[in-house]
Structure formats: structure tokens, C-alpha cells
Amino acid sequence: MRKKYAAGNWKMNKTFEEGQILLSEVVNMVNDEMNNPNVHVILGVPFPYLSTFTKLVNSSKVSIAAQNCHPKPSGAYTGEVSVQMLKSVGVSSVIIGHSERREYFLESDAFIAEKVDAILAEGLTPIFCCGETLAQREAGIHFDFVCGQLTNSLFHLSAEALQKVVIAYEPIWAIGTGVTASSAQAQEMHKVLRDHLASKYGQTVADEISILYGGSVGAGNAVELFSQPDVDGGLVGGASLKSRDFTDISKSFPA
């Protein structure tokens, strides 16, 4: 059975004190209410909070992720953070390739591939984001475009390494807009991506990869989204900033 994930991406939100309160609320709620042993909760928090928050999490059900990394282990890269640094403070996974990083910071597929390698080399889990714009979907090139992102950034990996990657499909037109892909649209793309993985690595390997959906996931639509056969959880933005909503999302998986 594929691992299921409820991953929250706080982005650039919450002061340190606000974040501590939110973290405590989520961990306590998850410990008390979530009983599905196949679901893991991940919180992607801002860099300044990582060291403290990894120590504050007292739950085997919750772990802390970084929202980005630099692929080099060290050097003259002012303002950047290496995977080794993240590992040294207890981080277990790293979100990479988010559309905001691609758009605002011009990160290429090749650069993101370097990050994948750096994260895997340190034994951490890459949460690899991919997704298309509304224009690409309306032009009918969305399947080819997103499959190309996987090809360019992941297909250099061995089958063994690929199985350590979590993929997050986030249609850019649904991120922070309140517009969510329908469960049918999400399932359709997830199935296309899994078939694309199978074309390179075989169906057995493809069936082991967790593929998450992101894009205005909320407590109201999570049950339907997570019930789709190829949707293995969510990468949650705005709703992850509300402890009750995010915990309810985490509890939305089929038993």
C-alpha cells in the first residue's frame, strides 16, 4: 500500500510565536484524532523555525519539512540553505520545484534535478512539485508539459532512488485561487503521471510512488479528492494555516 500524506506548506506565513501555537495545535489534534497508520502528516515551515520545531514535535505521525534547499553542500551562496544544514537540524523532507519557485525565482527543471539528487544523497525525502498553467491546460498541452517536468527532473534516477521521491501535482491555476481541480481532473492527471512513470520504470515501481494533489485543498473537498485511486494525499497551502481545517484534511483518507 502506498504511503498517504497530508503535507502542509506554510509558505511565508506566521511569526515564530504564531507558528509555535499552530504547530502545537496540529500535533495535539493529530495525536488525539488521527488513527490511520498509513497516513503521515508533514509541515513545511519557514527556515528560521526548523531547528526549534523539529525538537518540539512529539509525535511519530508528524514531521517537519523545509520549503526549499540549495543543491550545493556549501559555499559562497549568500542567503541559501544546503541539504546538509537541513539534515543537521532534524528535517526529514524538502519541498522542491514549487510553481512559485519556478515562476518568481526562475528555477529550471535541470536545477530542480540537482536538488533532487542532493536531497536523496543525504537520505531525505524530496517532495517534487509539478503542474501546468491555465493557458497550457486550455491549449491541451497540460499532460505533455507536466510529464516533461517529471522526465527532465526525475528520469535520471534509478528505480530504487525514484521510489524515495514523493510527487505533488499542483495545477498552477488552482493554487491560492479558491478554484480546485475536480476530483475527476485530479485523478486524470495523477493517472497520466503514474502511467508516465510506468513507461520508464515499469508498473510495479510506478505503483509504489505517492502522488499528492495540491491546489486549494480544503476540508470540504479533501474526502472526495483523496478517494480517487491515484491521489495519495495533498500538499495543502492556505488551509494548513488553520489547525482545525488541516487536521480535518489529514483525517479525510478512506479507512
Side-chain angles (χ1 to χ4, degrees), residues 99-145:
S99 62
E100 293 158 2
R101 298 293 314 177
R102 295 175 187 267
E103 179 182 357
Y104 305 149
F105 302 99
L106 307 180
E107 295 191 2
S108 67
D109 289 345
F111 188 56
I112 295 164
E114 291 183 47
K115 296 187 182 190
V116 171
D117 291 345
I119 295 165
L120 290 173
E122 292 298 323
L124 306 188
T125 299
I127 302 175
F128 172 82
C129 300
C130 55
E132 82 282 4
T133 65
L134 181 60
Q136 289 165 333
R137 177 167 281 267
E138 291 178 340
I141 62 173
H142 50 298
F143 294 140
D144 287 343
F145 178 78

Short mmCIF file of all heavy atoms in Angstrom, two decimals, residues 99-145:
data_model
loop_
_atom_site.label_atom_id
_atom_site.label_comp_id
_atom_site.label_asym_id
_atom_site.label_seq_id
_atom_site.Cartn_x
_atom_site.Cartn_y
_atom_site.Cartn_z
N SER A 99 5.68 25.80 -7.95
CA SER A 99 5.47 26.73 -9.06
C SER A 99 5.90 28.16 -8.71
O SER A 99 6.32 28.92 -9.58
CB SER A 99 4.01 26.72 -9.50
OG SER A 99 3.16 27.15 -8.46
N GLU A 100 5.79 28.51 -7.43
CA GLU A 100 6.23 29.85 -7.03
C GLU A 100 7.74 29.99 -7.15
O GLU A 100 8.25 31.06 -7.51
CB GLU A 100 5.75 30.13 -5.60
CG GLU A 100 4.23 30.25 -5.52
CD GLU A 100 3.66 30.02 -4.13
OE1 GLU A 100 4.45 29.78 -3.18
OE2 GLU A 100 2.43 30.06 -4.00
N ARG A 101 8.47 28.92 -6.84
CA ARG A 101 9.93 28.94 -7.02
C ARG A 101 10.26 28.98 -8.52
O ARG A 101 11.17 29.69 -8.94
CB ARG A 101 10.57 27.69 -6.40
CG ARG A 101 10.38 27.53 -4.91
CD ARG A 101 11.08 28.56 -4.08
NE ARG A 101 12.45 28.82 -4.46
CZ ARG A 101 13.21 29.74 -3.86
NH1 ARG A 101 12.74 30.47 -2.87
NH2 ARG A 101 14.45 29.93 -4.25
N ARG A 102 9.53 28.24 -9.31
CA ARG A 102 9.79 28.21 -10.76
C ARG A 102 9.51 29.58 -11.38
O ARG A 102 10.27 30.07 -12.21
CB ARG A 102 8.93 27.14 -11.42
CG ARG A 102 9.24 25.70 -11.01
CD ARG A 102 8.24 24.75 -11.65
NE ARG A 102 8.35 23.37 -11.21
CZ ARG A 102 9.06 22.42 -11.81
NH1 ARG A 102 9.77 22.72 -12.88
NH2 ARG A 102 9.08 21.19 -11.34
N GLU A 103 8.39 30.21 -10.96
CA GLU A 103 7.98 31.47 -11.58
C GLU A 103 8.77 32.65 -11.05
O GLU A 103 9.33 33.44 -11.82
CB GLU A 103 6.49 31.70 -11.34
CG GLU A 103 5.97 33.01 -11.92
CD GLU A 103 4.51 33.27 -11.66
OE1 GLU A 103 3.84 32.39 -11.06
OE2 GLU A 103 4.02 34.35 -12.04
N TYR A 104 8.83 32.80 -9.72
CA TYR A 104 9.43 34.00 -9.15
C TYR A 104 10.96 33.96 -9.14
O TYR A 104 11.62 35.00 -9.21
CB TYR A 104 8.95 34.22 -7.71
CG TYR A 104 7.46 34.27 -7.54
CD1 TYR A 104 6.87 33.83 -6.35
CD2 TYR A 104 6.61 34.74 -8.55
CE1 TYR A 104 5.48 33.87 -6.17
CE2 TYR A 104 5.24 34.78 -8.38
CZ TYR A 104 4.67 34.35 -7.19
OH TYR A 104 3.32 34.38 -7.01
N PHE A 105 11.52 32.76 -9.02
CA PHE A 105 12.97 32.63 -8.90
C PHE A 105 13.60 31.91 -10.08
O PHE A 105 14.78 31.54 -10.05
CB PHE A 105 13.31 31.94 -7.58
CG PHE A 105 12.76 32.67 -6.38
CD1 PHE A 105 11.58 32.26 -5.78
CD2 PHE A 105 13.41 33.79 -5.87
CE1 PHE A 105 11.05 32.94 -4.69
CE2 PHE A 105 12.89 34.48 -4.79
CZ PHE A 105 11.71 34.06 -4.19
N LEU A 106 12.80 31.68 -11.11
CA LEU A 106 13.26 31.17 -12.41
C LEU A 106 14.01 29.84 -12.29
O LEU A 106 15.01 29.61 -12.98
CB LEU A 106 14.13 32.22 -13.11
CG LEU A 106 13.51 33.62 -13.25
CD1 LEU A 106 14.47 34.56 -13.95
CD2 LEU A 106 12.17 33.56 -13.96
N GLU A 107 13.53 28.97 -11.42
CA GLU A 107 14.19 27.68 -11.25
C GLU A 107 13.82 26.74 -12.41
O GLU A 107 12.65 26.55 -12.72
CB GLU A 107 13.80 27.05 -9.91
CG GLU A 107 14.30 27.86 -8.73
CD GLU A 107 14.16 27.12 -7.41
OE1 GLU A 107 13.71 25.96 -7.40
OE2 GLU A 107 14.51 27.72 -6.37
N SER A 108 14.83 26.17 -13.02
CA SER A 108 14.64 25.30 -14.19
C SER A 108 14.49 23.85 -13.76
O SER A 108 14.82 23.47 -12.64
CB SER A 108 15.85 25.43 -15.12
OG SER A 108 17.01 24.89 -14.49
N ASP A 109 14.01 23.04 -14.68
CA ASP A 109 13.92 21.59 -14.43
C ASP A 109 15.29 21.02 -14.08
O ASP A 109 15.41 20.16 -13.21
CB ASP A 109 13.37 20.87 -15.66
CG ASP A 109 11.88 21.14 -15.90
OD1 ASP A 109 11.21 21.64 -14.98
OD2 ASP A 109 11.40 20.83 -17.01
N ALA A 110 16.33 21.49 -14.78
CA ALA A 110 17.69 20.98 -14.54
C ALA A 110 18.17 21.34 -13.14
O ALA A 110 18.79 20.51 -12.45
CB ALA A 110 18.65 21.52 -15.59
N PHE A 111 17.89 22.55 -12.70
CA PHE A 111 18.29 22.98 -11.35
C PHE A 111 17.54 22.17 -10.30
O PHE A 111 18.11 21.77 -9.28
CB PHE A 111 18.02 24.47 -11.20
CG PHE A 111 18.57 25.07 -9.92
CD1 PHE A 111 19.91 24.97 -9.60
CD2 PHE A 111 17.73 25.76 -9.05
CE1 PHE A 111 20.42 25.53 -8.44
CE2 PHE A 111 18.23 26.33 -7.89
CZ PHE A 111 19.57 26.22 -7.58
N ILE A 112 16.28 21.93 -10.54
CA ILE A 112 15.48 21.15 -9.61
C ILE A 112 15.97 19.70 -9.57
O ILE A 112 15.99 19.06 -8.52
CB ILE A 112 13.99 21.24 -9.98
CG1 ILE A 112 13.50 22.68 -9.81
CG2 ILE A 112 13.14 20.30 -9.12
CD1 ILE A 112 12.19 22.99 -10.49
N ALA A 113 16.42 19.18 -10.70
CA ALA A 113 17.00 17.83 -10.72
C ALA A 113 18.23 17.76 -9.82
O ALA A 113 18.45 16.75 -9.13
CB ALA A 113 17.37 17.44 -12.15
N GLU A 114 19.03 18.82 -9.81
CA GLU A 114 20.19 18.86 -8.91
C GLU A 114 19.75 18.81 -7.45
O GLU A 114 20.38 18.16 -6.61
CB GLU A 114 21.01 20.13 -9.15
CG GLU A 114 21.74 20.20 -10.47
CD GLU A 114 22.56 21.47 -10.57
OE1 GLU A 114 23.29 21.80 -9.60
OE2 GLU A 114 22.48 22.15 -11.60
N LYS A 115 18.67 19.49 -7.14
CA LYS A 115 18.15 19.47 -5.77
C LYS A 115 17.67 18.07 -5.40
O LYS A 115 17.90 17.61 -4.27
CB LYS A 115 17.00 20.47 -5.63
CG LYS A 115 17.40 21.93 -5.81
CD LYS A 115 16.23 22.85 -5.49
CE LYS A 115 16.59 24.30 -5.71
NZ LYS A 115 15.57 25.23 -5.19
N VAL A 116 17.00 17.41 -6.32
CA VAL A 116 16.55 16.03 -6.08
C VAL A 116 17.74 15.17 -5.68
O VAL A 116 17.69 14.43 -4.68
CB VAL A 116 15.86 15.45 -7.32
CG1 VAL A 116 15.60 13.96 -7.15
CG2 VAL A 116 14.54 16.17 -7.60
N ASP A 117 18.81 15.26 -6.45
CA ASP A 117 20.00 14.45 -6.18
C ASP A 117 20.60 14.78 -4.82
O ASP A 117 21.01 13.88 -4.07
CB ASP A 117 21.04 14.67 -7.27
CG ASP A 117 20.62 14.09 -8.61
OD1 ASP A 117 19.68 13.28 -8.64
OD2 ASP A 117 21.23 14.48 -9.63
N ALA A 118 20.68 16.06 -4.51
CA ALA A 118 21.28 16.49 -3.23
C ALA A 118 20.45 15.99 -2.05
O ALA A 118 21.00 15.55 -1.03
CB ALA A 118 21.40 18.01 -3.20
N ILE A 119 19.14 16.06 -2.16
CA ILE A 119 18.26 15.61 -1.08
C ILE A 119 18.38 14.11 -0.88
O ILE A 119 18.52 13.63 0.26
CB ILE A 119 16.81 16.03 -1.39
CG1 ILE A 119 16.67 17.55 -1.39
CG2 ILE A 119 15.84 15.41 -0.37
CD1 ILE A 119 15.38 18.05 -2.02
N LEU A 120 18.34 13.37 -1.96
CA LEU A 120 18.44 11.91 -1.86
C LEU A 120 19.80 11.49 -1.32
O LEU A 120 19.90 10.51 -0.56
CB LEU A 120 18.18 11.27 -3.22
CG LEU A 120 16.74 11.35 -3.74
CD1 LEU A 120 16.68 10.84 -5.18
CD2 LEU A 120 15.79 10.56 -2.85
N ALA A 121 20.84 12.21 -1.69
CA ALA A 121 22.19 11.87 -1.23
C ALA A 121 22.31 11.96 0.28
O ALA A 121 23.13 11.25 0.89
CB ALA A 121 23.22 12.78 -1.90
N GLU A 122 21.50 12.80 0.90
CA GLU A 122 21.53 12.96 2.36
C GLU A 122 20.47 12.10 3.06
O GLU A 122 20.30 12.20 4.28
CB GLU A 122 21.35 14.42 2.73
CG GLU A 122 22.51 15.31 2.33
CD GLU A 122 23.81 14.91 3.02
OE1 GLU A 122 23.76 14.50 4.19
OE2 GLU A 122 24.87 14.99 2.37
N GLY A 123 19.77 11.28 2.29
CA GLY A 123 18.79 10.39 2.89
C GLY A 123 17.48 11.05 3.26
O GLY A 123 16.70 10.49 4.05
N LEU A 124 17.20 12.23 2.71
CA LEU A 124 15.94 12.91 2.97
C LEU A 124 14.96 12.66 1.82
O LEU A 124 15.33 12.10 0.79
CB LEU A 124 16.16 14.41 3.15
CG LEU A 124 17.19 14.85 4.21
CD1 LEU A 124 17.14 16.37 4.40
CD2 LEU A 124 16.95 14.15 5.53
N THR A 125 13.72 13.06 2.01
CA THR A 125 12.67 12.83 1.02
C THR A 125 12.39 14.09 0.22
O THR A 125 11.99 15.10 0.79
CB THR A 125 11.37 12.38 1.70
OG1 THR A 125 11.60 11.16 2.41
CG2 THR A 125 10.26 12.17 0.68
N PRO A 126 12.56 14.04 -1.11
CA PRO A 126 12.15 15.18 -1.93
C PRO A 126 10.63 15.13 -2.16
O PRO A 126 10.09 14.09 -2.50
CB PRO A 126 12.89 14.97 -3.26
CG PRO A 126 13.79 13.78 -3.06
CD PRO A 126 13.22 13.01 -1.92
N ILE A 127 9.98 16.26 -1.94
CA ILE A 127 8.57 16.41 -2.33
C ILE A 127 8.59 17.27 -3.59
O ILE A 127 8.73 18.49 -3.53
CB ILE A 127 7.74 17.05 -1.21
CG1 ILE A 127 7.83 16.20 0.06
CG2 ILE A 127 6.28 17.20 -1.65
CD1 ILE A 127 7.13 16.82 1.27
N PHE A 128 8.49 16.60 -4.72
CA PHE A 128 8.73 17.23 -6.03
C PHE A 128 7.42 17.76 -6.60
O PHE A 128 6.50 16.99 -6.87
CB PHE A 128 9.35 16.20 -6.98
CG PHE A 128 9.46 16.66 -8.40
CD1 PHE A 128 10.51 17.45 -8.80
CD2 PHE A 128 8.48 16.32 -9.34
CE1 PHE A 128 10.60 17.90 -10.12
CE2 PHE A 128 8.58 16.75 -10.65
CZ PHE A 128 9.64 17.54 -11.05
N CYS A 129 7.35 19.07 -6.78
CA CYS A 129 6.13 19.71 -7.28
C CYS A 129 6.17 19.86 -8.80
O CYS A 129 7.21 20.15 -9.40
CB CYS A 129 5.95 21.08 -6.65
SG CYS A 129 5.81 21.07 -4.85
N CYS A 130 5.01 19.70 -9.41
CA CYS A 130 4.87 19.87 -10.85
C CYS A 130 3.46 20.38 -11.13
O CYS A 130 2.57 20.26 -10.28
CB CYS A 130 5.14 18.56 -11.58
SG CYS A 130 4.10 17.17 -11.03
N GLY A 131 3.25 20.96 -12.29
CA GLY A 131 1.92 21.44 -12.62
C GLY A 131 1.95 22.42 -13.76
O GLY A 131 2.99 22.99 -14.11
N GLU A 132 0.77 22.63 -14.35
CA GLU A 132 0.63 23.44 -15.56
C GLU A 132 -0.14 24.73 -15.29
O GLU A 132 -0.87 24.84 -14.30
CB GLU A 132 -0.09 22.65 -16.65
CG GLU A 132 -1.62 22.64 -16.55
CD GLU A 132 -2.18 21.68 -15.52
OE1 GLU A 132 -1.39 21.04 -14.78
OE2 GLU A 132 -3.42 21.58 -15.43
N THR A 133 0.02 25.71 -16.18
CA THR A 133 -0.75 26.94 -16.12
C THR A 133 -2.11 26.73 -16.75
O THR A 133 -2.36 25.73 -17.45
CB THR A 133 -0.03 28.07 -16.87
OG1 THR A 133 0.03 27.73 -18.27
CG2 THR A 133 1.38 28.29 -16.35
N LEU A 134 -3.00 27.70 -16.55
CA LEU A 134 -4.33 27.62 -17.17
C LEU A 134 -4.20 27.67 -18.69
O LEU A 134 -4.90 26.94 -19.41
CB LEU A 134 -5.21 28.77 -16.67
CG LEU A 134 -6.64 28.80 -17.21
CD1 LEU A 134 -7.39 27.53 -16.86
CD2 LEU A 134 -7.39 30.02 -16.68
N ALA A 135 -3.29 28.50 -19.19
CA ALA A 135 -3.10 28.61 -20.64
C ALA A 135 -2.66 27.28 -21.23
O ALA A 135 -3.11 26.88 -22.33
CB ALA A 135 -2.09 29.70 -20.96
N GLN A 136 -1.77 26.58 -20.54
CA GLN A 136 -1.31 25.28 -21.04
C GLN A 136 -2.43 24.25 -21.02
O GLN A 136 -2.55 23.44 -21.95
CB GLN A 136 -0.13 24.80 -20.19
CG GLN A 136 1.14 25.60 -20.44
CD GLN A 136 2.19 25.39 -19.37
OE1 GLN A 136 1.89 25.08 -18.22
NE2 GLN A 136 3.46 25.61 -19.73
N ARG A 137 -3.28 24.29 -20.00
CA ARG A 137 -4.42 23.37 -19.96
C ARG A 137 -5.40 23.68 -21.09
O ARG A 137 -5.87 22.77 -21.78
CB ARG A 137 -5.11 23.41 -18.60
CG ARG A 137 -6.36 22.54 -18.50
CD ARG A 137 -6.84 22.36 -17.08
NE ARG A 137 -6.05 21.37 -16.36
CZ ARG A 137 -6.38 20.08 -16.28
NH1 ARG A 137 -7.44 19.60 -16.91
NH2 ARG A 137 -5.62 19.26 -15.60
N GLU A 138 -5.69 24.96 -21.27
CA GLU A 138 -6.66 25.34 -22.31
C GLU A 138 -6.12 25.04 -23.70
O GLU A 138 -6.90 24.79 -24.63
CB GLU A 138 -7.00 26.82 -22.17
CG GLU A 138 -7.83 27.12 -20.92
CD GLU A 138 -8.14 28.60 -20.76
OE1 GLU A 138 -7.42 29.43 -21.37
OE2 GLU A 138 -9.09 28.92 -20.02
N ALA A 139 -4.79 25.03 -23.84
CA ALA A 139 -4.18 24.69 -25.14
C ALA A 139 -4.08 23.19 -25.37
O ALA A 139 -3.69 22.74 -26.46
CB ALA A 139 -2.80 25.33 -25.24
N GLY A 140 -4.42 22.41 -24.34
CA GLY A 140 -4.40 20.96 -24.49
C GLY A 140 -3.03 20.34 -24.39
O GLY A 140 -2.85 19.18 -24.79
N ILE A 141 -2.05 21.08 -23.84
CA ILE A 141 -0.68 20.55 -23.76
C ILE A 141 -0.32 20.20 -22.31
O ILE A 141 0.84 19.93 -22.01
CB ILE A 141 0.34 21.55 -24.32
CG1 ILE A 141 0.34 22.86 -23.52
CG2 ILE A 141 0.07 21.80 -25.79
CD1 ILE A 141 1.45 23.83 -23.93
N HIS A 142 -1.31 20.21 -21.41
CA HIS A 142 -1.01 20.06 -19.98
C HIS A 142 -0.43 18.70 -19.65
O HIS A 142 0.48 18.61 -18.83
CB HIS A 142 -2.25 20.34 -19.14
CG HIS A 142 -3.49 19.63 -19.55
ND1 HIS A 142 -4.08 19.82 -20.79
CD2 HIS A 142 -4.28 18.73 -18.90
CE1 HIS A 142 -5.17 19.08 -20.87
NE2 HIS A 142 -5.30 18.40 -19.76
N PHE A 143 -0.91 17.64 -20.27
CA PHE A 143 -0.36 16.31 -19.97
C PHE A 143 1.10 16.23 -20.39
O PHE A 143 1.96 15.79 -19.61
CB PHE A 143 -1.17 15.22 -20.67
CG PHE A 143 -2.58 15.08 -20.18
CD1 PHE A 143 -3.61 14.83 -21.07
CD2 PHE A 143 -2.89 15.19 -18.83
CE1 PHE A 143 -4.92 14.70 -20.63
CE2 PHE A 143 -4.19 15.07 -18.38
CZ PHE A 143 -5.22 14.82 -19.28
N ASP A 144 1.39 16.65 -21.62
CA ASP A 144 2.77 16.59 -22.11
C ASP A 144 3.69 17.48 -21.28
O ASP A 144 4.83 17.11 -20.99
CB ASP A 144 2.83 17.02 -23.58
CG ASP A 144 2.25 15.97 -24.53
OD1 ASP A 144 2.11 14.80 -24.10
OD2 ASP A 144 1.95 16.33 -25.68
N PHE A 145 3.20 18.65 -20.89
CA PHE A 145 4.04 19.58 -20.14
C PHE A 145 4.43 19.01 -18.77
O PHE A 145 5.60 19.03 -18.40
CB PHE A 145 3.33 20.92 -19.96
CG PHE A 145 4.12 21.91 -19.15
CD1 PHE A 145 5.18 22.60 -19.71
CD2 PHE A 145 3.83 22.13 -17.81
CE1 PHE A 145 5.93 23.50 -18.96
CE2 PHE A 145 4.57 23.02 -17.05
CZ PHE A 145 5.63 23.71 -17.63
#
